[in-house]
Amino acid sequence: MTKPVEEVEKAVDVNFTDKALLRQAFIHRSYINETKEPSLEHNERLEFLGDAVLELVVTEYLYKNFSNPEGELTNWRSSIVKGEVLAKVALELNLGDYLLLSKGEEHSGGRTRSLILANTVEAFIGAIYLDKGYDASSDFIAKYLISLLPEIIEKNLHIDPKSRLQEIVQEKHSRAPEYRVMNEAGPDHAKEFTVGVYASDKLLAKGTGSSKQRAEQSAANEALKLVQ
């Protein structure tokens, strides 16, 4: 059951002036398709905006606080803004509880699907930006995402998971891992790919993402949990 979206304001200490904008951040496309309410808009445009705001804020922070080479800063940024990290933040904040989903998406576990949760975080950031401005969205990103940077650096989580997995698999099997698309679901504008990563034809793990590349990264991350 969906919780009143206003409760999220208390959870993250952000008070919206435009409550309709706050609500829009938690409206999944499937809900619009099912309800056919003409006055409602799903959160994908906010997601588009929030993605850009997130990348800018993280980039600005890294530029101002570190003198490391561009390639290293890029890897750090990628580790902060990647989908699985956003999904983890969404779970910590229980953002899935506020989502408006179709009955089918609800029954299939949409509230805990990593892709939907990651997209919701980006949409929420976009909504904060429009309603409260750059500083408020920057504060949210700093508190819940940039704060993860010390752990990322300490545990070398910024190193590309596919590269790390390849080193381990090649050492054990004398051949690189292989990635295979196992499933494609959803309409063209919102595809979700499931990819399996194999070592010597043995399935190590599966991952999902909005592109084949993201699904491969997800699969590599899942495999690393098992082989390290």
Side-chain angles (χ1 to χ4, degrees):
M1 183 175 179
T2 303
K3 291 183 178 179
V5 73
E6 288 77 15
E7 290 184 10
V8 77
E9 294 177 292
K10 300 176 183 177
V12 300
D13 194 26
V14 176
N15 295 313
F16 275 74
T17 301
D18 186 347
K19 303 298 183 183
L21 187 64
L22 170 62
R23 186 187 185 201
Q24 183 187 340
F26 294 92
I27 299 177
H28 188 255
R29 173 182 284 274
S30 65
Y31 183 81
I32 297 291
N33 293 338
E34 186 172 271
T35 60
K36 307 294 184 182
E37 292 185 41
S39 61
L40 292 181
E41 184 178 353
H42 57 69
N43 65 5
E44 289 178 12
R45 280 166 47 82
L46 284 176
E47 173 198 336
F48 168 76
L49 175 62
D51 176 61
V53 173
L54 172 60
E55 185 150 328
L56 175 60
V57 169
V58 174
T59 301
E60 181 183 36
Y61 174 85
L62 293 174
Y63 179 83
K64 288 182 176 179
N65 290 278
F66 297 92
S67 58
N68 300 61
E70 177 189 354
E72 193 166 6
L73 296 179
T74 298
N75 288 338
W76 288 356
R77 181 181 63 195
S78 297
S79 296
I80 293 172
V81 306
K82 63 185 179 182
E84 65 192 79
V85 172
L86 299 179
K88 186 179 295 185
V89 169
L91 286 171
E92 291 173 357
L93 295 174
N94 298 313
L95 296 188
D97 294 348
Y98 308 101
L99 280 167
L100 291 175
L101 303 166
S102 68
K103 293 178 181 177
E105 194 66 65
E106 177 87 53
H107 292 154
S108 66
R111 291 189 189 280
T112 57
R113 281 177 58 203
S114 293
L115 180 61
I116 290 178
L117 290 176
N119 292 345
T120 300
V121 172
E122 290 178 339
F124 187 50
I125 290 171
I128 294 174
Y129 174 78
L130 289 178
D131 191 76
K132 311 306 294 184
Y134 181 83
D135 288 346
S137 56
S138 182
D139 288 345
F140 175 86
I141 292 166
K143 182 175 181 179
Y144 295 105
L145 289 158
I146 293 176
S147 60
L148 303 174
L149 183 59
E151 180 183 2
I152 288 170
I153 296 173
E154 180 184 351
K155 296 183 178 180
N156 289 322
L157 300 178
H158 58 285
I159 299 175
D160 176 53
K162 290 180 66 177
S163 298
R164 283 191 287 151
L165 181 64
Q166 180 165 324
E167 291 178 3
I168 294 171
V169 171
Q170 282 187 321
E171 183 178 341
K172 292 183 177 181
H173 299 271
S174 300
R175 60 188 293 187
E178 180 183 356
Y179 295 87
R180 304 174 189 170
V181 176
M182 304 176 73
N183 188 49
E184 295 183 26
D188 290 340
H189 65 268
K191 281 280 189 184
E192 181 172 88
F193 296 86
T194 300
V195 168
V197 58
Y198 295 78
S200 298
D201 289 325
K202 178 184 177 181
L203 178 64
L204 297 178
K206 295 186 290 185
T208 59
S210 56
S211 68
K212 292 179 183 178
Q213 183 179 13
R214 289 186 176 183
E216 289 176 359
Q217 295 280 1
S218 176
N221 268 311
E222 292 303 312
L224 284 170
K225 297 175 184 178
L226 304 174
V227 301
Q228 284 182 324

